[in-house]
Amino acid sequence: MTRTKAFLIALAVSTVCLAKDIQKAVFTTTPQMHCENCEKKIKGNLRFEKGVKKIVTNIEQQTVTIEYDADKVTVNQLLKAFSKAGYEARKLKEGEKPKKN
Protein backbone atom coordinates (compact mmCIF):
# COMPACT_ATOMS: atom_id res chain seq x y z
CA MET A 1 0.00 0.00 0.00
CA THR A 2 2.81 2.42 0.88
CA ARG A 3 4.65 1.60 -2.33
CA THR A 4 1.52 2.32 -4.34
CA LYS A 5 1.08 5.72 -2.70
CA ALA A 6 4.74 6.57 -3.25
CA PHE A 7 4.50 5.53 -6.89
CA LEU A 8 1.38 7.65 -7.47
CA ILE A 9 2.99 10.69 -5.84
CA ALA A 10 6.15 10.24 -7.95
CA LEU A 11 4.02 9.88 -11.07
CA ALA A 12 2.07 13.06 -10.31
CA VAL A 13 5.26 15.04 -9.66
CA SER A 14 6.92 13.82 -12.85
CA THR A 15 3.81 14.63 -14.90
CA VAL A 16 3.82 18.22 -13.65
CA CYS A 17 7.56 18.58 -14.27
CA LEU A 18 7.35 17.24 -17.81
CA ALA A 19 4.27 19.23 -18.84
CA LYS A 20 4.87 21.16 -22.05
CA ASP A 21 3.33 24.42 -23.11
CA ILE A 22 2.09 23.36 -26.56
CA GLN A 23 0.66 26.31 -28.51
CA LYS A 24 -0.90 26.69 -31.94
CA ALA A 25 -0.40 29.68 -34.23
CA VAL A 26 -1.80 30.39 -37.69
CA PHE A 27 0.24 32.46 -40.15
CA THR A 28 -0.23 33.87 -43.63
CA THR A 29 2.68 34.59 -45.94
CA THR A 30 3.87 37.09 -48.52
CA PRO A 31 4.36 36.06 -51.25
CA GLN A 32 1.38 33.78 -51.01
CA MET A 33 1.76 30.04 -51.41
CA HIS A 34 0.56 28.91 -54.82
CA CYS A 35 1.97 25.40 -55.30
CA GLU A 36 3.28 22.27 -53.64
CA ASN A 37 6.86 23.58 -53.90
CA CYS A 38 5.92 26.60 -51.79
CA GLU A 39 4.55 24.28 -49.13
CA LYS A 40 7.66 22.12 -49.21
CA LYS A 41 9.96 25.13 -48.92
CA ILE A 42 8.12 26.47 -45.88
CA LYS A 43 7.80 23.09 -44.17
CA GLY A 44 11.42 22.24 -44.96
CA ASN A 45 12.74 25.33 -43.20
CA LEU A 46 10.34 25.45 -40.25
CA ARG A 47 10.72 21.82 -39.26
CA PHE A 48 14.28 22.50 -38.11
CA GLU A 49 13.20 25.06 -35.52
CA LYS A 50 13.44 23.65 -31.99
CA GLY A 51 10.05 23.06 -30.45
CA VAL A 52 8.07 22.80 -33.69
CA LYS A 53 5.77 19.80 -33.36
CA LYS A 54 3.50 19.98 -36.40
CA ILE A 55 3.18 22.11 -39.56
CA VAL A 56 0.01 22.14 -41.67
CA THR A 57 -0.13 24.23 -44.82
CA ASN A 58 -3.30 25.11 -46.71
CA ILE A 59 -2.85 26.69 -50.14
CA GLU A 60 -6.57 27.33 -50.62
CA GLN A 61 -6.88 29.22 -47.33
CA GLN A 62 -3.34 30.68 -47.58
CA THR A 63 -2.46 29.59 -44.04
CA VAL A 64 0.34 27.81 -42.24
CA THR A 65 -0.71 26.34 -38.90
CA ILE A 66 2.11 25.46 -36.51
CA GLU A 67 1.93 23.53 -33.25
CA TYR A 68 4.97 24.32 -31.12
CA ASP A 69 6.41 24.04 -27.64
CA ALA A 70 6.37 27.63 -26.31
CA ASP A 71 9.12 26.72 -23.84
CA LYS A 72 11.50 26.11 -26.78
CA VAL A 73 10.47 28.55 -29.52
CA THR A 74 8.65 31.88 -29.73
CA VAL A 75 6.39 33.35 -32.40
CA ASN A 76 9.16 35.84 -33.26
CA GLN A 77 11.58 32.97 -33.87
CA LEU A 78 9.01 31.32 -36.13
CA LEU A 79 8.59 34.58 -38.06
CA LYS A 80 12.37 34.72 -38.56
CA ALA A 81 12.31 31.12 -39.83
CA PHE A 82 9.76 32.14 -42.48
CA SER A 83 12.09 34.91 -43.63
CA LYS A 84 14.96 32.41 -43.99
CA ALA A 85 12.72 30.58 -46.47
CA GLY A 86 12.10 33.80 -48.41
CA TYR A 87 8.63 34.55 -47.03
CA GLU A 88 7.35 37.38 -44.89
CA ALA A 89 4.85 35.93 -42.43
CA ARG A 90 2.20 37.45 -40.22
CA LYS A 91 0.42 35.74 -37.35
CA LEU A 92 -3.33 35.82 -37.81
CA LYS A 93 -5.58 36.84 -34.96
CA GLU A 94 -8.13 34.27 -33.84
CA GLY A 95 -10.95 34.12 -36.39
CA GLU A 96 -9.12 36.35 -38.89
CA LYS A 97 -9.11 35.24 -42.52
CA PRO A 98 -6.13 36.02 -44.76
CA LYS A 99 -6.62 38.10 -47.88
CA LYS A 100 -6.23 36.06 -51.06
CA ASN A 101 -4.79 37.44 -54.27
Side-chain angles (χ1 to χ4, degrees):
M1 185 77 152
T2 305
R3 285 184 183 179
T4 304
K5 286 182 184 178
F7 174 75
L8 291 175
I9 290 171
L11 182 63
V13 169
S14 66
T15 301
V16 170
C17 292
L18 296 175
K20 295 181 180 183
D21 186 13
I22 303 299
Q23 301 285 322
K24 185 185 282 190
V26 180
F27 299 89
T28 188
T29 63
T30 304
Q32 292 186 333
M33 298 180 292
H34 62 275
C35 65
E36 196 175 299
N37 287 333
C38 296
E39 290 180 304
K40 287 179 183 178
K41 188 174 183 181
I42 289 170
K43 286 180 177 180
N45 280 323
L46 291 173
R47 69 185 176 108
F48 290 111
E49 291 296 315
K50 288 184 179 180
V52 171
K53 302 296 180 192
K54 185 177 180 182
I55 304 166
V56 178
T57 54
N58 185 319
I59 292 175
E60 185 178 313
Q61 295 295 316
Q62 291 298 314
T63 58
V64 180
T65 304
I66 302 173
E67 285 185 23
Y68 64 97
D69 184 344
D71 294 330
K72 294 182 180 180
V73 68
T74 65
V75 169
N76 285 336
Q77 289 171 314
L78 293 173
L79 291 171
K80 287 179 185 176
F82 275 102
S83 67
K84 290 177 193 173
Y87 290 87
E88 183 180 319
R90 182 176 64 83
K91 183 178 180 215
L92 296 174
K93 296 174 185 166
E94 193 167 324
E96 180 183 3
K97 302 286 185 204
K99 294 178 183 175
K100 299 177 199 172
N101 290 340

XYZ file of all heavy atoms in Angstrom:
796
model
N 0.824 -1.196 0.000
C 0.000 0.000 0.000
C 0.870 1.263 0.000
O 0.598 2.201 -0.727
C -0.929 -0.033 1.227
C -1.896 1.093 1.261
S -3.211 0.755 0.100
C -4.506 1.636 0.841
N 1.915 1.263 0.806
C 2.807 2.415 0.883
C 3.557 2.607 -0.430
O 3.751 3.737 -0.868
C 3.818 2.233 2.039
O 3.087 1.981 3.240
C 4.639 3.478 2.231
N 3.964 1.503 -1.037
C 4.654 1.598 -2.328
C 3.740 2.188 -3.395
O 4.176 2.965 -4.239
C 5.134 0.225 -2.784
C 6.332 -0.268 -2.041
C 6.791 -1.566 -2.621
N 7.922 -2.095 -1.875
C 8.514 -3.220 -2.132
N 8.076 -3.980 -3.131
N 9.535 -3.618 -1.432
N 2.479 1.811 -3.375
C 1.524 2.315 -4.341
C 1.348 3.819 -4.189
O 1.347 4.556 -5.176
C 0.157 1.621 -4.194
O 0.350 0.211 -4.312
C -0.826 2.085 -5.241
N 1.230 4.287 -2.951
C 1.083 5.716 -2.704
C 2.330 6.466 -3.170
O 2.242 7.514 -3.797
C 0.829 5.994 -1.225
C -0.552 5.647 -0.757
C -0.731 5.989 0.703
C -2.089 5.560 1.213
N -2.247 5.853 2.644
N 3.493 5.924 -2.850
C 4.744 6.570 -3.247
C 4.857 6.625 -4.772
O 5.292 7.644 -5.336
C 5.931 5.817 -2.648
N 4.459 5.558 -5.424
C 4.499 5.525 -6.893
C 3.562 6.575 -7.487
O 3.931 7.285 -8.420
C 4.129 4.125 -7.401
C 4.012 4.063 -8.898
C 5.149 4.072 -9.691
C 2.770 4.006 -9.515
C 5.045 4.030 -11.077
C 2.662 3.965 -10.895
C 3.806 3.966 -11.675
N 2.348 6.678 -6.959
C 1.381 7.645 -7.471
C 1.850 9.086 -7.251
O 1.683 9.944 -8.123
C 0.012 7.423 -6.834
C -0.696 6.132 -7.251
C -1.998 5.952 -6.469
C -0.969 6.127 -8.741
N 2.462 9.352 -6.115
C 2.993 10.690 -5.845
C 4.127 11.008 -6.811
O 4.192 12.090 -7.388
C 3.449 10.810 -4.376
C 2.215 10.793 -3.461
C 4.268 12.080 -4.161
C 2.533 10.696 -1.985
N 5.034 10.042 -7.017
C 6.151 10.242 -7.952
C 5.634 10.455 -9.368
O 6.149 11.298 -10.112
C 7.100 9.053 -7.901
N 4.613 9.733 -9.744
C 4.017 9.875 -11.070
C 3.397 11.261 -11.243
O 3.583 11.903 -12.274
C 2.964 8.785 -11.300
C 2.294 8.771 -12.662
C 3.320 8.506 -13.760
C 1.213 7.706 -12.693
N 2.693 11.736 -10.244
C 2.071 13.058 -10.308
C 3.124 14.160 -10.404
O 2.992 15.095 -11.199
C 1.187 13.282 -9.080
N 4.190 14.042 -9.633
C 5.258 15.041 -9.662
C 5.950 15.044 -11.020
O 6.203 16.098 -11.597
C 6.276 14.797 -8.517
C 7.512 15.654 -8.688
C 5.621 15.075 -7.172
N 6.237 13.873 -11.557
C 6.919 13.815 -12.850
C 6.035 14.330 -13.981
O 6.517 14.943 -14.926
C 7.385 12.394 -13.155
O 6.284 11.533 -13.342
N 4.730 14.133 -13.889
C 3.809 14.631 -14.896
C 3.812 16.149 -14.910
O 3.851 16.775 -15.968
C 2.381 14.106 -14.645
O 2.414 12.685 -14.665
C 1.410 14.616 -15.691
N 3.805 16.762 -13.749
C 3.825 18.223 -13.653
C 5.149 18.765 -14.173
O 5.189 19.760 -14.899
C 3.572 18.676 -12.197
C 3.830 20.169 -12.041
C 2.157 18.331 -11.779
N 6.240 18.123 -13.838
C 7.565 18.583 -14.267
C 7.762 18.466 -15.771
O 8.481 19.266 -16.368
C 8.662 17.799 -13.555
S 8.741 18.160 -11.796
N 7.163 17.481 -16.387
C 7.353 17.240 -17.814
C 6.281 17.884 -18.693
O 6.333 17.745 -19.914
C 7.406 15.740 -18.087
C 8.571 14.993 -17.454
C 8.445 13.495 -17.709
C 9.902 15.508 -17.957
N 5.342 18.601 -18.073
C 4.275 19.225 -18.842
C 4.859 20.257 -19.799
O 5.737 21.030 -19.443
C 3.266 19.883 -17.898
N 4.376 20.240 -21.024
C 4.868 21.158 -22.046
C 3.791 22.177 -22.363
O 2.605 21.900 -22.270
C 5.252 20.386 -23.304
C 6.403 19.453 -23.092
C 6.767 18.733 -24.356
C 7.930 17.797 -24.082
N 8.374 17.112 -25.273
N 4.234 23.343 -22.742
C 3.328 24.423 -23.114
C 3.160 24.405 -24.628
O 3.793 25.173 -25.343
C 3.898 25.759 -22.632
C 2.940 26.912 -22.855
O 1.755 26.661 -23.144
O 3.379 28.070 -22.733
N 2.311 23.498 -25.119
C 2.089 23.363 -26.559
C 1.074 24.421 -27.002
O -0.020 24.506 -26.467
C 1.586 21.948 -26.926
C 2.566 20.885 -26.444
C 1.333 21.845 -28.430
C 3.950 20.968 -27.038
N 1.490 25.232 -27.980
C 0.663 26.309 -28.510
C 0.390 26.054 -29.989
O 1.097 25.275 -30.625
C 1.395 27.646 -28.369
C 1.752 28.018 -26.959
C 0.556 28.485 -26.163
O -0.316 29.172 -26.694
N 0.493 28.095 -24.911
N -0.585 26.764 -30.514
C -0.895 26.686 -31.942
C -0.991 28.115 -32.465
O -1.623 28.967 -31.843
C -2.208 25.955 -32.173
C -2.530 25.737 -33.651
C -3.887 25.112 -33.851
C -3.844 23.633 -33.562
N -5.078 22.942 -33.979
N -0.344 28.370 -33.598
C -0.398 29.684 -34.231
C -0.680 29.504 -35.718
O -0.201 28.552 -36.331
C 0.921 30.430 -34.030
N -1.461 30.422 -36.273
C -1.800 30.392 -37.691
C -1.187 31.626 -38.350
O -1.353 32.743 -37.866
C -3.331 30.373 -37.905
C -3.668 30.330 -39.389
C -3.956 29.202 -37.176
N -0.453 31.396 -39.432
C 0.240 32.459 -40.145
C -0.255 32.536 -41.576
O -0.752 31.560 -42.132
C 1.749 32.180 -40.186
C 2.392 32.102 -38.839
C 2.458 30.898 -38.147
C 2.955 33.226 -38.264
C 3.065 30.829 -36.899
C 3.566 33.164 -37.027
C 3.620 31.963 -36.336
N -0.064 33.698 -42.193
C -0.231 33.871 -43.627
C 1.082 34.436 -44.150
O 1.837 35.044 -43.389
C -1.427 34.782 -43.980
O -1.631 34.741 -45.391
C -1.215 36.198 -43.516
N 1.367 34.214 -45.413
C 2.678 34.585 -45.942
C 2.578 35.536 -47.131
O 1.574 35.588 -47.818
C 3.461 33.341 -46.402
O 2.745 32.719 -47.471
C 3.685 32.367 -45.275
N 3.673 36.271 -47.327
C 3.874 37.095 -48.517
C 5.246 36.755 -49.042
O 6.207 36.849 -48.284
C 3.803 38.595 -48.172
O 2.567 38.864 -47.530
C 3.945 39.441 -49.413
N 5.412 36.325 -50.263
C 4.359 36.065 -51.248
C 3.488 34.891 -50.806
O 3.893 34.077 -49.993
C 5.135 35.724 -52.511
C 6.449 35.212 -52.036
C 6.731 35.935 -50.762
N 2.301 34.849 -51.368
C 1.384 33.778 -51.007
C 1.835 32.453 -51.602
O 2.485 32.420 -52.639
C -0.027 34.115 -51.478
C -0.614 35.282 -50.725
C -2.049 35.536 -51.088
O -2.496 35.227 -52.194
N -2.802 36.099 -50.166
N 1.474 31.381 -50.898
C 1.761 30.038 -51.409
C 0.845 29.779 -52.606
O -0.333 30.099 -52.555
C 1.480 28.981 -50.340
C 2.313 29.078 -49.104
S 1.876 27.786 -47.915
C 0.231 28.294 -47.437
N 1.396 29.200 -53.662
C 0.555 28.908 -54.816
C 0.768 27.497 -55.368
O 0.090 27.100 -56.301
C 0.776 29.945 -55.924
C 2.172 29.972 -56.453
N 3.170 30.696 -55.846
C 2.737 29.357 -57.503
C 4.295 30.523 -56.521
N 4.060 29.712 -57.532
N 1.728 26.749 -54.790
C 1.966 25.401 -55.304
C 2.568 24.518 -54.208
O 2.887 24.971 -53.121
C 2.898 25.446 -56.515
S 4.559 26.017 -56.117
N 2.717 23.261 -54.560
C 3.281 22.271 -53.640
C 4.728 22.616 -53.263
O 5.155 22.367 -52.143
C 3.223 20.890 -54.301
C 3.419 19.748 -53.341
C 3.218 18.414 -54.040
O 2.110 18.162 -54.557
O 4.195 17.641 -54.067
N 5.473 23.202 -54.203
C 6.860 23.577 -53.904
C 6.935 24.659 -52.833
O 7.857 24.663 -52.019
C 7.579 24.042 -55.168
C 7.893 22.882 -56.083
O 8.059 21.740 -55.639
N 7.955 23.151 -57.373
N 5.973 25.576 -52.832
C 5.920 26.605 -51.788
C 5.723 25.943 -50.422
O 6.394 26.291 -49.446
C 4.774 27.580 -52.052
S 4.922 28.543 -53.555
N 4.801 25.004 -50.379
C 4.546 24.282 -49.130
C 5.800 23.559 -48.652
O 6.155 23.629 -47.473
C 3.420 23.258 -49.315
C 2.053 23.850 -49.494
C 1.001 22.778 -49.674
O 1.142 21.945 -50.598
O 0.042 22.778 -48.882
N 6.458 22.876 -49.558
C 7.662 22.123 -49.208
C 8.766 23.036 -48.695
O 9.471 22.698 -47.742
C 8.168 21.317 -50.405
C 7.331 20.117 -50.729
C 7.884 19.377 -51.932
C 7.017 18.201 -52.307
N 7.530 17.502 -53.497
N 8.921 24.175 -49.331
C 9.956 25.127 -48.921
C 9.703 25.627 -47.499
O 10.617 25.684 -46.677
C 9.987 26.303 -49.903
C 11.123 27.255 -49.692
C 11.127 28.291 -50.813
C 12.305 29.225 -50.679
N 12.313 30.239 -51.731
N 8.466 25.982 -47.208
C 8.115 26.470 -45.876
C 8.281 25.362 -44.836
O 8.935 25.547 -43.806
C 6.680 27.038 -45.869
C 6.659 28.351 -46.654
C 6.175 27.242 -44.452
C 5.281 28.896 -46.918
N 7.705 24.201 -45.110
C 7.802 23.087 -44.165
C 9.254 22.666 -43.955
O 9.665 22.353 -42.835
C 6.983 21.890 -44.647
C 5.501 22.074 -44.502
C 4.764 20.838 -45.009
C 3.283 20.943 -44.815
N 2.569 19.768 -45.305
N 10.023 22.656 -45.046
C 11.416 22.239 -44.956
C 12.244 23.117 -44.051
O 13.119 22.632 -43.332
N 11.986 24.421 -44.053
C 12.737 25.333 -43.195
C 12.216 25.346 -41.763
O 13.000 25.379 -40.819
C 12.720 26.751 -43.764
C 13.726 26.919 -44.879
O 14.817 26.366 -44.824
N 13.357 27.652 -45.900
N 10.913 25.334 -41.603
C 10.341 25.449 -40.255
C 10.530 24.193 -39.411
O 10.602 24.268 -38.195
C 8.860 25.802 -40.338
C 8.558 27.207 -40.848
C 7.068 27.377 -41.045
C 9.080 28.254 -39.897
N 10.621 23.057 -40.043
C 10.720 21.815 -39.264
C 12.018 21.728 -38.462
O 12.121 20.958 -37.526
C 10.552 20.596 -40.162
C 11.677 20.352 -41.114
C 11.347 19.192 -42.049
N 12.384 19.009 -43.036
C 13.234 18.001 -43.021
N 13.146 17.073 -42.105
N 14.165 17.916 -43.939
N 13.015 22.532 -38.824
C 14.281 22.500 -38.107
C 14.302 23.416 -36.884
O 15.266 23.410 -36.124
C 15.449 22.852 -39.042
C 15.710 21.782 -40.051
C 15.434 21.991 -41.400
C 16.197 20.545 -39.663
C 15.670 20.999 -42.332
C 16.427 19.539 -40.592
C 16.162 19.771 -41.928
N 13.262 24.208 -36.694
C 13.202 25.062 -35.516
C 12.898 24.202 -34.288
O 11.989 23.379 -34.314
C 12.114 26.137 -35.668
C 12.420 27.182 -36.706
C 13.642 28.016 -36.374
O 13.787 28.460 -35.223
O 14.469 28.214 -37.289
N 13.678 24.413 -33.227
C 13.444 23.647 -31.993
C 12.043 23.939 -31.472
O 11.599 25.079 -31.478
C 14.469 24.037 -30.927
C 15.837 23.523 -31.220
C 16.792 23.840 -30.089
C 18.162 23.281 -30.418
N 19.131 23.558 -29.371
N 11.369 22.902 -31.047
C 10.050 23.059 -30.450
C 8.892 22.934 -31.419
O 7.748 22.837 -30.992
N 9.149 22.945 -32.721
C 8.066 22.804 -33.694
C 7.609 21.350 -33.697
O 8.400 20.441 -33.897
C 8.498 23.253 -35.108
C 7.435 22.898 -36.137
C 8.788 24.743 -35.126
N 6.328 21.146 -33.451
C 5.770 19.796 -33.363
C 5.036 19.371 -34.624
O 5.080 18.230 -35.028
C 4.795 19.704 -32.169
C 5.415 20.050 -30.835
C 6.485 19.065 -30.477
C 7.124 19.407 -29.148
N 8.333 18.663 -28.909
N 4.321 20.332 -35.245
C 3.497 19.981 -36.405
C 3.320 21.214 -37.273
O 3.131 22.319 -36.767
C 2.134 19.473 -35.924
C 1.217 18.969 -36.994
C -0.066 18.431 -36.371
C -1.028 17.917 -37.417
N -2.283 17.454 -36.806
N 3.383 21.019 -38.596
C 3.182 22.107 -39.559
C 2.124 21.649 -40.567
O 2.285 20.610 -41.189
C 4.478 22.441 -40.317
C 5.603 22.776 -39.347
C 4.245 23.587 -41.297
C 6.971 22.795 -39.993
N 1.070 22.439 -40.705
C 0.007 22.137 -41.667
C -0.156 23.352 -42.568
O -0.451 24.450 -42.094
C -1.328 21.816 -40.962
C -2.422 21.552 -41.984
C -1.169 20.629 -40.030
N 0.045 23.146 -43.866
C -0.130 24.228 -44.825
C -1.445 24.035 -45.574
O -1.898 22.908 -45.767
C 1.028 24.261 -45.835
O 1.165 22.978 -46.433
C 2.335 24.635 -45.175
N -2.049 25.158 -45.968
C -3.301 25.109 -46.714
C -3.232 26.177 -47.804
O -3.358 27.373 -47.513
C -4.484 25.357 -45.786
C -5.810 25.191 -46.484
O -5.987 25.615 -47.621
N -6.759 24.587 -45.794
N -2.990 25.746 -49.029
C -2.851 26.688 -50.141
C -4.162 27.432 -50.391
O -4.168 28.640 -50.598
C -2.383 25.968 -51.423
C -0.944 25.474 -51.241
C -2.457 26.892 -52.625
C -0.404 24.654 -52.383
N -5.271 26.718 -50.352
C -6.572 27.332 -50.624
C -6.879 28.456 -49.634
O -7.343 29.525 -50.019
C -7.667 26.271 -50.580
C -9.026 26.803 -50.980
C -10.081 25.714 -50.973
O -9.823 24.632 -51.513
O -11.160 25.970 -50.421
N -6.613 28.212 -48.356
C -6.883 29.221 -47.327
C -5.707 30.196 -47.118
O -5.840 31.168 -46.388
C -7.196 28.539 -45.992
C -8.465 27.722 -45.995
C -9.689 28.597 -46.204
O -9.819 29.651 -45.608
N -10.585 28.147 -47.073
N -4.546 29.877 -47.719
C -3.337 30.684 -47.581
C -2.878 30.777 -46.124
O -2.549 31.854 -45.615
C -3.537 32.094 -48.163
C -3.661 32.109 -49.659
C -2.402 31.577 -50.345
O -1.298 31.949 -50.000
N -2.594 30.698 -51.300
N -2.874 29.617 -45.444
C -2.459 29.588 -44.039
C -1.403 28.524 -43.792
O -1.308 27.528 -44.513
C -3.657 29.295 -43.104
O -4.235 28.039 -43.471
C -4.703 30.391 -43.159
N -0.617 28.780 -42.767
C 0.336 27.813 -42.241
C 0.041 27.718 -40.750
O 0.173 28.707 -40.022
C 1.798 28.257 -42.465
C 2.759 27.226 -41.893
C 2.078 28.503 -43.930
N -0.391 26.550 -40.301
C -0.709 26.338 -38.898
C 0.432 25.553 -38.271
O 0.810 24.496 -38.781
C -2.034 25.569 -38.739
O -3.055 26.290 -39.428
C -2.404 25.408 -37.274
N 0.963 26.082 -37.165
C 2.111 25.461 -36.510
C 1.773 25.169 -35.059
O 1.311 26.048 -34.333
C 3.347 26.385 -36.576
C 3.677 26.716 -38.028
C 4.534 25.747 -35.865
C 4.763 27.744 -38.187
N 1.989 23.910 -34.657
C 1.927 23.532 -33.246
C 3.358 23.520 -32.754
O 4.233 22.927 -33.387
C 1.302 22.154 -33.069
C -0.194 22.143 -33.246
C -0.795 20.782 -32.950
O -0.182 19.975 -32.214
O -1.886 20.520 -33.481
N 3.596 24.186 -31.613
C 4.966 24.317 -31.121
C 5.004 24.335 -29.601
O 4.006 24.628 -28.943
C 5.617 25.580 -31.693
C 4.942 26.863 -31.247
C 5.431 27.595 -30.176
C 3.809 27.341 -31.899
C 4.818 28.765 -29.760
C 3.192 28.500 -31.493
C 3.699 29.216 -30.427
O 3.080 30.364 -30.019
N 6.171 24.008 -29.072
C 6.414 24.044 -27.635
C 6.897 25.452 -27.302
O 8.010 25.838 -27.658
C 7.473 23.002 -27.258
C 7.712 22.909 -25.768
O 7.300 23.828 -25.027
O 8.321 21.914 -25.338
N 6.055 26.229 -26.620
C 6.367 27.626 -26.313
C 7.548 27.763 -25.356
O 8.112 28.848 -25.228
C 5.142 28.324 -25.744
N 7.941 26.683 -24.704
C 9.117 26.722 -23.843
C 10.410 26.675 -24.661
O 11.479 26.987 -24.152
C 9.108 25.550 -22.849
C 7.966 25.654 -21.847
O 7.548 26.786 -21.528
O 7.486 24.600 -21.386
N 10.308 26.277 -25.934
C 11.504 26.109 -26.776
C 11.592 27.102 -27.927
O 12.674 27.348 -28.442
C 11.555 24.685 -27.335
C 11.756 23.637 -26.267
C 11.856 22.271 -26.876
C 12.069 21.222 -25.797
N 12.181 19.887 -26.369
N 10.465 27.636 -28.371
C 10.475 28.550 -29.519
C 9.374 29.595 -29.329
O 8.340 29.310 -28.733
C 10.296 27.766 -30.847
C 8.924 27.162 -30.974
C 10.630 28.624 -32.050
N 9.628 30.799 -29.834
C 8.646 31.881 -29.735
C 8.062 32.174 -31.111
O 8.603 31.749 -32.135
C 9.302 33.170 -29.203
O 10.263 33.629 -30.161
C 9.958 32.942 -27.851
N 6.994 32.946 -31.130
C 6.388 33.353 -32.398
C 7.388 34.176 -33.201
O 7.497 34.014 -34.420
C 5.075 34.132 -32.157
C 4.579 34.787 -33.444
C 4.006 33.211 -31.593
N 8.156 35.038 -32.536
C 9.157 35.837 -33.259
C 10.210 34.956 -33.925
O 10.648 35.251 -35.041
C 9.823 36.848 -32.323
C 8.913 38.011 -32.016
O 8.005 38.319 -32.780
N 9.136 38.659 -30.892
N 10.620 33.890 -33.261
C 11.585 32.966 -33.867
C 10.969 32.268 -35.080
O 11.651 32.033 -36.077
C 12.056 31.938 -32.837
C 12.958 32.540 -31.775
C 13.242 31.571 -30.647
O 12.325 30.912 -30.140
N 14.498 31.470 -30.241
N 9.691 31.939 -34.994
C 9.011 31.319 -36.131
C 8.921 32.304 -37.302
O 9.134 31.926 -38.453
C 7.611 30.840 -35.725
C 7.575 29.693 -34.717
C 6.142 29.432 -34.258
C 8.195 28.437 -35.289
N 8.651 33.575 -37.007
C 8.592 34.585 -38.059
C 9.948 34.723 -38.752
O 10.023 34.861 -39.976
C 8.149 35.927 -37.480
C 6.693 35.992 -37.002
C 6.437 37.291 -36.253
C 5.727 35.836 -38.154
N 11.027 34.657 -37.985
C 12.367 34.718 -38.565
C 12.639 33.493 -39.440
O 13.299 33.593 -40.478
C 13.420 34.820 -37.472
C 13.467 36.177 -36.813
C 14.500 36.227 -35.716
C 14.444 37.558 -34.986
N 15.377 37.607 -33.860
N 12.127 32.344 -39.039
C 12.309 31.124 -39.832
C 11.605 31.248 -41.181
O 12.105 30.762 -42.196
C 11.783 29.912 -39.063
N 10.446 31.893 -41.206
C 9.762 32.139 -42.481
C 10.649 32.995 -43.386
O 10.766 32.728 -44.578
C 8.428 32.872 -42.262
C 7.268 31.978 -41.942
C 6.811 31.850 -40.637
C 6.601 31.283 -42.934
C 5.727 31.053 -40.329
C 5.511 30.480 -42.646
C 5.078 30.364 -41.331
N 11.272 34.017 -42.806
C 12.088 34.912 -43.628
C 13.311 34.194 -44.192
O 13.759 34.498 -45.298
C 12.502 36.160 -42.846
O 13.377 35.833 -41.803
N 13.840 33.215 -43.469
C 14.957 32.412 -43.988
C 14.529 31.641 -45.238
O 15.348 31.352 -46.097
C 15.456 31.425 -42.929
C 16.174 32.061 -41.772
C 16.561 30.998 -40.760
C 16.994 31.600 -39.445
N 17.217 30.553 -38.426
N 13.246 31.321 -45.317
C 12.719 30.582 -46.472
C 12.298 31.520 -47.601
O 11.832 31.072 -48.641
C 11.536 29.718 -46.041
N 12.450 32.843 -47.376
C 12.096 33.802 -48.413
C 10.664 34.301 -48.346
O 10.151 34.863 -49.315
N 10.012 34.123 -47.201
C 8.630 34.554 -47.032
C 8.534 35.518 -45.859
O 9.190 35.337 -44.839
C 7.704 33.360 -46.747
C 7.513 32.465 -47.928
C 8.405 31.428 -48.186
C 6.452 32.654 -48.794
C 8.237 30.597 -49.286
C 6.273 31.830 -49.895
C 7.171 30.804 -50.134
O 7.001 30.000 -51.222
N 7.691 36.523 -46.019
C 7.349 37.381 -44.893
C 6.059 36.800 -44.326
O 5.105 36.571 -45.073
C 7.119 38.814 -45.371
C 6.832 39.776 -44.250
C 6.619 41.190 -44.765
O 7.351 41.611 -45.675
O 5.703 41.840 -44.252
N 6.035 36.550 -43.039
C 4.851 35.932 -42.431
C 4.224 36.893 -41.426
O 4.890 37.766 -40.877
C 5.224 34.626 -41.742
N 2.942 36.691 -41.212
C 2.196 37.453 -40.221
C 1.290 36.496 -39.478
O 0.611 35.671 -40.107
C 1.377 38.540 -40.920
C 0.594 39.436 -39.978
C -0.119 40.544 -40.745
N -1.128 40.042 -41.663
C -2.381 39.712 -41.309
N -2.774 39.810 -40.051
N -3.224 39.276 -42.221
N 1.301 36.598 -38.159
C 0.422 35.739 -37.351
C -0.999 36.290 -37.433
O -1.224 37.481 -37.245
C 0.891 35.698 -35.900
C 0.072 34.772 -35.049
C 0.575 34.717 -33.628
C -0.313 33.755 -32.859
N -0.521 34.170 -31.496
N -1.933 35.417 -37.724
C -3.330 35.818 -37.807
C -3.946 35.839 -36.417
O -3.634 34.994 -35.569
C -4.119 34.850 -38.692
C -3.707 34.792 -40.160
C -4.476 33.689 -40.873
C -3.940 36.127 -40.833
N -4.828 36.794 -36.206
C -5.580 36.840 -34.959
C -6.648 35.756 -35.025
O -7.050 35.333 -36.108
C -6.226 38.207 -34.774
C -5.203 39.312 -34.624
C -5.870 40.656 -34.590
C -4.796 41.730 -34.571
N -5.334 43.041 -34.854
N -7.131 35.333 -33.874
C -8.130 34.268 -33.841
C -9.374 34.688 -34.625
O -9.913 35.768 -34.418
C -8.520 33.930 -32.399
C -9.295 32.653 -32.297
C -9.409 32.155 -30.861
O -8.449 32.312 -30.101
O -10.460 31.603 -30.542
N -9.777 33.860 -35.571
C -10.951 34.121 -36.393
C -10.666 34.966 -37.626
O -11.543 35.118 -38.468
N -9.461 35.521 -37.736
C -9.119 36.354 -38.892
C -8.855 35.478 -40.114
O -8.249 34.431 -40.013
C -7.857 37.167 -38.578
C -7.390 38.064 -39.697
C -6.106 38.795 -39.404
O -5.506 38.583 -38.330
O -5.676 39.563 -40.268
N -9.330 35.935 -41.256
C -9.108 35.235 -42.519
C -8.079 36.012 -43.326
O -8.146 37.235 -43.419
C -10.413 35.142 -43.325
C -11.543 34.437 -42.604
C -11.320 32.974 -42.547
C -12.533 32.306 -41.919
N -12.248 31.050 -41.327
N -7.125 35.315 -43.937
C -6.133 36.019 -44.760
C -6.744 36.506 -46.069
O -7.698 35.929 -46.581
C -5.062 34.953 -45.025
C -5.777 33.663 -44.869
C -6.875 33.890 -43.874
N -6.184 37.601 -46.581
C -6.623 38.095 -47.876
C -5.962 37.252 -48.961
O -4.794 36.950 -48.880
C -6.214 39.558 -48.049
C -6.906 40.478 -47.088
C -6.434 41.895 -47.259
C -7.095 42.796 -46.222
N -6.567 44.156 -46.285
N -6.746 36.870 -49.954
C -6.228 36.060 -51.059
C -6.080 36.922 -52.288
O -6.924 37.753 -52.572
C -7.172 34.890 -51.359
C -7.358 33.937 -50.207
C -8.347 32.871 -50.576
C -8.893 32.203 -49.338
N -9.991 31.305 -49.654
N -5.000 36.713 -53.005
C -4.790 37.435 -54.274
C -5.416 36.690 -55.418
O -5.477 35.548 -55.515
C -3.296 37.637 -54.548
C -2.702 38.634 -53.573
O -3.417 39.416 -52.965
N -1.412 38.580 -53.426
